[in-house]
């Protein structure tokens, strides 16, 4: 499927540059990989995006050192793209930097430039990963080394090796090799009000009284393993810093507000706990995560860091392990108790609803499936967002019950739909903890047996964020569901923490591209490219692809032209109660589908 990897060793690198790269620890294979990555990248577009990302820094530098100097330096900086084709580039870059430095450079600019370059390359190359899955694993170390190289270069040291040593001493915590508190300071960038929020998630490992029996080597080993496990959870563009013996901070730029930081915190917590189990010390310590956002909770690294720590302290006071500062999910204690009571009551009374949202096939417009989405209306008439509902169920330890209720409802609904002459399939959503419930596959098989439903009609959706990559139990639950004949869909694809290499191992049958990418397709070429390559890659792996968040006719047309299999979104229909759905379905399949135009090229 992917032959790039095979030809890598034959992509030559000019020798002078090869030496430079080798001086930064890039192996021959990594150098070839870098070259192959450039080759398969739209360099002009990458330059443009890098330019856009560097612009704010340029403005900052220009204010102090003058426009012309700053422009020259940043222009040289852009040539990092395709640098192995131009051996003179590092020297030119160094010269421009010196000039800028003499004219007064803002503090920390070198690290910021490196961080922006690294982040842009990572996101950009990551977007290309669809066709480069075998290079995937090499991407992160390569790009980080480019970052080191840049900082080394810019620090203007006599030798690159010296600069790197200085950099390591200043910004890297020696035991774990992770960036330290000073590095966090450098990479922090306040977000503006109109930008997506960035988050700091502060993780603490707290040793219990029983830890007194441990020797310090055991503790150190645990700390290293926890740090590693947390770092593995970082998305491309995130940085995990070690800020104390037993404390780490994940800096997640652009992660957005709302539930994403919450999910990221849960993922960190899970990873850390798993690491403690792996070293056999889980009984001696607990973990907690507090999060805070910029711009919401502050515009400086210190402010956000302290807010994250305060949130963590508040969580511990309340007997919880996760808390994100800010209004969302921060129910007042009294209200929380009230909601919890209602929630349990609702579970008991089966008071939750499932609404159905159609999924249509793009080849012929037929609606052969729908997604079942949880709805809860509280006694006072207010609706609770399903994301909040799921977060609460996880917090209260009631997820297993909630999921079973959803599965039961959905299977009963499938049977009822058949009776009404609507023999479609349904997809239900699973949460993270469901995948660690070894009895779930058995429960589902009993439910479909009770209602005499063919397993093919029930698909289970899971998000990347909810899964522990390579966790044997998770994988076995998924494999059992698929072997039983169910569809398994990877939901919200593109927003999580997984790599494509992992996707290849995941026994899924479908992939749902997150709405974030779909919605921006008409405006941004990059998102179009991502969607197109994800469609191709997924189909190459034998997965069918569903695009979410189709809100406009344009989205639909683009997706059809790309050969995407199916679509879901407000443009087609909103989630609706089952009765409304039946009426919608009859109407759609008689009127709309007949008028479906054939796919044009
Ligand atoms: P999801 O699985 O990604 O579900 C799709 C969400 O996108 C739904 O939000 C749906 O209403 C919304 N949506 C559909 N089309 C469009 C569109 O064109 N534009 C936009 N902006 N949004 C669109 P909803 O119903 O609020 O559900 C949110 C999330 O809650 C779901 O995201 C899923 O992660 C979770 N969830 C819902 N029901 C369940 C459930 O039964 N169990 C579990 N574990 N999670 C659930
Ligand atoms: Ca879903
Ligand atoms: Ca989704």
């Amino acid at each position: 499927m992917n032959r790039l990897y095979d030809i890598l060793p034959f992509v030559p690198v000019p020798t002078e540059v090869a030496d430079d790269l080798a001086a930064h620890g890039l192996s021959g294979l990594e150098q070839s990989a870098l070259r192959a990555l450039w080759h398969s990248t739209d360099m002009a577009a990458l330059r443009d995006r890098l330019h856009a990302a560097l612009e704010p820094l340029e403005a900052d530098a220009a204010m102090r050192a003058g426009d012309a100097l700053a422009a020259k330096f940043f222009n040289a900086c852009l040539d990092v793209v395709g640098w192995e084709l131009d051996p003179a580039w590092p020297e030119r870059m160094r010269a421009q930097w010196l000039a800028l430095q003499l004219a007064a450079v803002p503090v920390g600019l070198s690290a910021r430039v490196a961080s922006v370059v690294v982040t842009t390359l990572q996101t950009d190359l990551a977007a290309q990963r669809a066709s480069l899955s075998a290079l995937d694993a090499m991407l992160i170390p390569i790009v980080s080394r480019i970052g080191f190289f840049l900082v080394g270069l810019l620090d203007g040291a006599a030798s690159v090796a010296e600069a790197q040593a200085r950099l390591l001493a200043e910004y890297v915590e020696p035991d774990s090799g992770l960036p330290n508190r000073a590095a966090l300071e450098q990479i922090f960038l306040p977000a503006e009000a109109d930008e997506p929020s960035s988050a700091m998630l502060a993780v603490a490992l707290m040793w219990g009284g029983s830890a007194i029996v441990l020797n310090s080597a055991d503790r150190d080993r645990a700390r290293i393993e926890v740090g590693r496990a947390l770092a593995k959870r970082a998305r491309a563009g995130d940085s995990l810093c070690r800020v104390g013996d037993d404390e780490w901070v994940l800096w997640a730029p652009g992660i957005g507000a709302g539930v994403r930081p919450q999910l990221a915190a849960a993922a960190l917590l899970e990873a850390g706990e798993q690491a403690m189990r792996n070293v056999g010390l889980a009984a001696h310590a607990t973990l907690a995560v507090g999060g805070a956002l910029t711009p919401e909770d502050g515009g400086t690294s210190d402010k956000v860091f302290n807010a994250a720590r305060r949130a963590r302290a508040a969580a511990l006071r309340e007997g919880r392990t996760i808390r994100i500062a800010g209004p969302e999910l921060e129910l007042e204690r009294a209200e929380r108790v009230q909601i919890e009571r209602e929630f349990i009551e609702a579970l008991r009374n089966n008071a939750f609803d499932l609404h159905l949202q159609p999924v249509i096939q793009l080849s012929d417009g037929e609606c052969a499936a729908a997604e079942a989405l949880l709805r809860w209306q509280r006694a006072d008439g207010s609706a609770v967002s399903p994301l909040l509902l799921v977060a609460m169920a996880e917090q209260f330890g009631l997820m297993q019950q909630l999921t079973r209720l959803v599965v039961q409802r959905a299977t009963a609904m499938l049977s009822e739909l058949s009776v009404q002459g609507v023999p479609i399939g349904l997809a239900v959503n699973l949460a993270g903890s469901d995948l660690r419930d070894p009895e779930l596959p058995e429960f589902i098989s009993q439910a479909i047996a009770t209602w005499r439903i063919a397993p093919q009609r029930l698909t289970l959706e899971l998000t990347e964020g909810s899964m522990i990559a390579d966790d044997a139990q998770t994988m076995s639950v998924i494999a059992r569901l698929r072997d039983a004949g169910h569809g398994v869909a990877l939901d919200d694809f593109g927003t999580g923490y997984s790599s494509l290499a992992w996707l290849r191992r995941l026994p899924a049958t479908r992939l749902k591209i997150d709405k974030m990418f779909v919605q921006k397709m008409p405006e941004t070429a990059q998102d179009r490219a991502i969607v197109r390559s994800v469609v191709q890659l997924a189909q190459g792996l034998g997965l069918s692809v569903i695009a979410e968040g189709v809100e406009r006719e344009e989205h639909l047309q683009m997706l059809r032209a790309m050969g995407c299999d199916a679509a879901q979104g407000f443009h087609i229909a909103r989630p609706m109660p089952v009765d409304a759905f039946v009426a919608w379905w009859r109407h759609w399949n008689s009127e709309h589908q007949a008028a479906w135009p054939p796919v044009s090229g």
Side-chain angles (χ1 to χ4, degrees):
M1 171 209 42
N2 165 27
R3 301 274 71 110
L4 241 180
Y5 190 74
D6 300 343
I7 59 163
L8 273 184
F10 306 109
V11 182
V13 177
T15 49
E16 312 89 297
V17 187
D19 292 344
D20 248 351
L21 292 170
H24 289 84
L26 276 135
S27 71
L29 185 60
E30 282 175 325
Q31 292 177 37
S32 301
L34 176 60
R35 191 141 201 228
L37 285 167
W38 287 154
H39 272 296
S40 61
T41 301
D42 179 351
M43 304 260 246
L46 177 55
R47 267 183 72 108
D48 284 351
R49 276 189 291 278
L50 193 56
H51 180 67
L54 286 171
E55 224 156 35
L57 297 185
E58 182 173 355
D60 197 10
M63 231 163 48
R64 309 188 205 201
D67 286 324
L69 278 176
K72 271 192 181 157
F73 166 73
F74 281 94
N75 273 338
C77 191
L78 291 181
D79 289 338
V80 66
V81 175
W83 135 45
E84 92 295 346
L85 303 172
D86 178 4
W89 173 76
E91 222 10 83
R92 209 166 53 237
M93 175 87 176
R94 199 195 312 258
Q96 301 296 356
W97 172 249
L98 281 175
L100 191 61
Q101 225 176 9
L102 288 174
V105 181
V107 185
L109 185 68
S110 61
R112 283 179 178 201
V113 167
S115 153
V116 168
V117 169
V118 167
T119 310
T120 311
L121 293 183
Q122 263 174 5
T123 22
D124 223 275
L125 296 176
Q128 302 286 331
R129 280 191 298 174
S131 54
L132 285 171
S133 56
L135 294 178
D136 191 3
M138 305 180 78
L139 198 70
I140 310 287
I142 292 174
V143 173
S144 333
R145 283 197 192 126
I146 294 180
F148 274 110
F149 177 79
L150 270 177
V151 181
L153 198 65
L154 300 187
D155 272 4
S159 81
V160 175
E162 195 182 305
Q164 196 177 11
R166 245 184 27 207
L167 180 80
L168 283 168
E170 206 172 322
Y171 292 123
V172 176
E173 195 279 318
D175 297 334
S176 61
L178 291 171
N180 59 14
R181 177 85 172 86
L184 178 63
E185 202 71 45
Q186 294 294 333
I187 56 184
F188 176 85
L189 264 182
E192 301 292 334
D194 57 347
E195 289 171 346
S197 312
S198 299
M200 268 195 205
L201 299 172
V203 184
L205 178 66
M206 291 155 299
W207 299 96
S210 66
I212 203 153
V213 302
L214 302 174
N215 59 36
S216 61
D218 283 339
R219 289 193 194 213
D220 287 344
R221 192 163 52 96
R223 290 168 172 137
I224 298 296
E225 287 307 317
V226 168
R228 274 197 194 135
L230 298 176
K232 256 196 184 161
R233 270 301 161 111
R235 306 168 306 168
D238 291 355
S239 312
L240 185 83
C241 303
R242 186 170 182 192
V243 299
D245 274 354
D246 295 306
E247 189 173 14
W248 298 263
V249 169
L250 182 80
W251 166 241
I255 189 168
V259 79
R260 285 191 201 287
Q262 183 88 17
L263 291 174
L268 287 176
L269 194 66
E270 253 171 37
E273 286 171 349
Q274 181 65 44
M276 288 302 284
R277 283 196 291 278
N278 289 348
V279 293
L281 299 178
H284 298 293
T286 48
L287 284 139
V289 187
L293 306 177
T294 172
E296 290 86 339
D297 303 306
T300 66
S301 159
D302 269 346
K303 281 208 175 105
V304 181
F305 180 54
N306 289 331
R309 284 181 143 181
R310 276 198 305 275
R312 189 178 65 210
L316 290 169
R317 275 199 304 277
E318 293 166 9
R320 290 198 274 158
T321 50
I322 293 179
R323 177 152 177 172
I324 309 293
E328 78 282 344
L329 295 182
E330 226 188 72
L331 309 168
E332 284 306 314
R333 210 175 151 63
E335 195 191 355
R336 213 177 84 88
V337 170
Q338 172 63 20
I339 287 202
E340 181 168 1
R341 198 177 301 129
E342 274 185 51
F343 183 88
I344 291 167
E345 196 65 13
L347 259 184
R348 197 174 297 138
N349 300 336
N350 221 341
F352 298 105
D353 259 339
L354 289 181
H355 281 196
L356 300 185
Q357 185 178 34
V359 176
I360 59 161
Q361 290 164 195
L362 287 172
S363 56
D364 56 7
E366 188 190 340
C367 172
E371 176 171 5
L373 294 157
L374 201 52
R375 294 291 179 263
W376 182 34
Q377 197 147 37
R378 291 177 59 195
D380 65 1
S382 64
V384 180
S385 127
L387 283 168
L388 182 55
L389 200 56
V390 168
M392 282 195 299
E394 292 276 23
Q395 268 178 25
F396 303 158
L398 294 170
M399 199 60 232
Q400 187 171 345
Q401 275 153 283
L402 183 64
T403 297
R404 284 170 194 223
L405 192 136
V406 168
V407 167
Q408 246 159 2
R409 278 293 188 85
T411 42
M413 219 174 240
L414 278 166
S415 155
E416 177 59 24
L417 286 167
S418 298
V419 171
Q420 301 211 31
V422 182
I424 59 157
L426 282 185
V428 300
N429 293 283
L430 297 185
S433 54
D434 293 326
L435 297 170
R436 267 153 282 122
D437 174 2
E439 276 138 39
L440 183 68
E442 181 55 30
F443 179 86
I444 294 178
S445 87
Q446 280 174 14
I448 63 165
T450 306
W451 294 100
R452 294 175 215 256
I453 304 297
Q456 291 72 20
R457 289 182 64 202
L458 184 69
T459 292
L460 293 315
E461 296 194 354
L462 4 128
T463 63
E464 311 168 70
S466 69
M467 279 178 264
I468 309 180
D470 288 333
D471 178 67
Q473 198 181 350
T474 302
M475 291 295 167
S476 124
V477 168
I478 299 172
R480 277 163 63 204
L481 291 170
R482 201 187 67 167
D483 293 346
H486 298 294
V488 174
L490 185 57
D491 205 352
D492 298 351
F493 186 77
T495 62
Y497 292 78
S498 60
S499 70
L500 285 170
W502 174 70
L503 174 64
R504 211 166 36 192
R505 289 197 303 277
L506 186 79
T509 59
R510 294 178 199 173
L511 183 150
K512 299 186 81 169
I513 305 181
D514 190 70
K515 40 181 166 284
M516 169 171 105
F517 301 108
V518 174
Q519 287 171 349
K520 288 189 295 182
M521 274 193 318
E523 284 76 33
T524 56
Q526 194 184 8
D527 288 299
R528 270 200 304 283
I530 292 175
V531 174
R532 185 176 298 114
S533 38
V534 168
V535 168
Q536 280 166 4
L537 169 92
Q539 290 174 343
L541 292 172
L543 302 167
S544 73
V545 184
I546 301 165
E548 299 188 297
V550 173
E551 290 187 355
R552 294 163 25 197
E553 180 62 25
E554 254 176 309
H555 297 146
L556 202 60
Q557 295 314 331
M558 286 180 170
L559 291 164
R560 294 187 78 209
M562 287 173 187
C564 182
D565 299 286
Q568 173 180 358
F570 295 167
H571 180 62
I572 300 153
R574 291 191 176 247
M576 53 197 137
V578 64
D579 295 343
F581 177 83
V582 169
W584 177 92
W585 188 84
R586 294 206 173 110
H587 182 257
W588 174 273
N589 275 4
S590 62
E591 309 254 320
H592 230 95
Q593 195 201 333
W596 199 253
V599 179
S600 56

